[in-house]
Amino acid sequence: MLTIGDTAQAEFIVQPSDTAKMLSTSAEDDFPEVFATSRMIALMELVAARAMQANLNPGQLSVGVSLNVRHIAATPVGCKVYAVATYLGTEGKLFRFKVEAWDETGLIGEGDHERALVDTERLLQGANKRKQSR
């Protein structure tokens, strides 16, 4: 079970596929070849999800329900990035985390993240209903 102050961490080396440039979907898009905010957010969610593993029952998973972050520094391809999620406690059914991302020279992002426990099958059924109603 999670205890306030528990942390989880993950790291990787920024690849060209992790850059904002790779998010372009048309010729008008012009983004720099630096670590994308969306990839930083994914890394932050990943570490918070890892922190919650001990709280999961069979057939459950955790899902992100809110995220408020700032991306404060650019990181080039080839640099190591890592994120840390620190458990702050629960508010109702939500698990609250402080999330931070770092590269080899310092802090690159920070914020708050909330996750909830859900039944995996129920989540997938709801997603399939949305698909069928299109």
Side-chain angles (χ1 to χ4, degrees):
M1 293 300 286
L2 274 172
T3 302
I4 292 174
D6 284 352
T7 63
Q9 181 174 325
E11 65 180 51
F12 66 90
I13 304 297
V14 176
Q15 303 298 312
S17 59
D18 299 315
T19 66
K21 186 124 190 112
M22 295 306 292
L23 298 175
S24 299
T25 59
S26 74
E28 298 89 42
D29 297 334
D30 185 26
F31 301 119
E33 198 165 353
V34 296
F35 189 47
T37 302
S38 58
R39 290 292 288 144
M40 181 187 76
I41 288 169
L43 184 59
M44 290 172 163
E45 283 208 72
L46 173 68
V47 295
R50 285 182 179 177
M52 290 191 62
Q53 287 295 320
N55 285 66
L56 300 177
N57 292 320
Q60 281 187 322
L61 53 82
S62 72
V63 294
V65 296
S66 75
L67 185 66
N68 181 14
V69 298
R70 297 180 326 126
H71 194 170
I72 56 179
T75 302
V77 170
C79 286
K80 179 173 73 170
V81 292
Y82 68 95
V84 177
T86 304
Y87 178 59
L88 301 176
T90 57
E91 191 169 295
K93 294 183 178 185
L94 300 179
F95 292 74
R96 297 176 31 250
F97 294 88
K98 174 183 175 183
V99 287
E100 298 173 304
W102 302 76
D103 66 16
E104 297 160 342
T105 60
L107 186 69
I108 62 168
E110 61 186 351
D112 299 303
H113 179 41
E114 293 178 326
R115 299 188 71 77
L117 294 176
V118 297
D119 176 77
T120 304
E121 188 59 35
R122 184 172 172 218
L123 176 81
L124 295 175
Q125 286 175 356
N128 285 332
K129 270 187 180 179
R130 291 183 62 80
K131 182 179 179 181
Q132 293 168 359
S133 68
R134 295 186 311 172

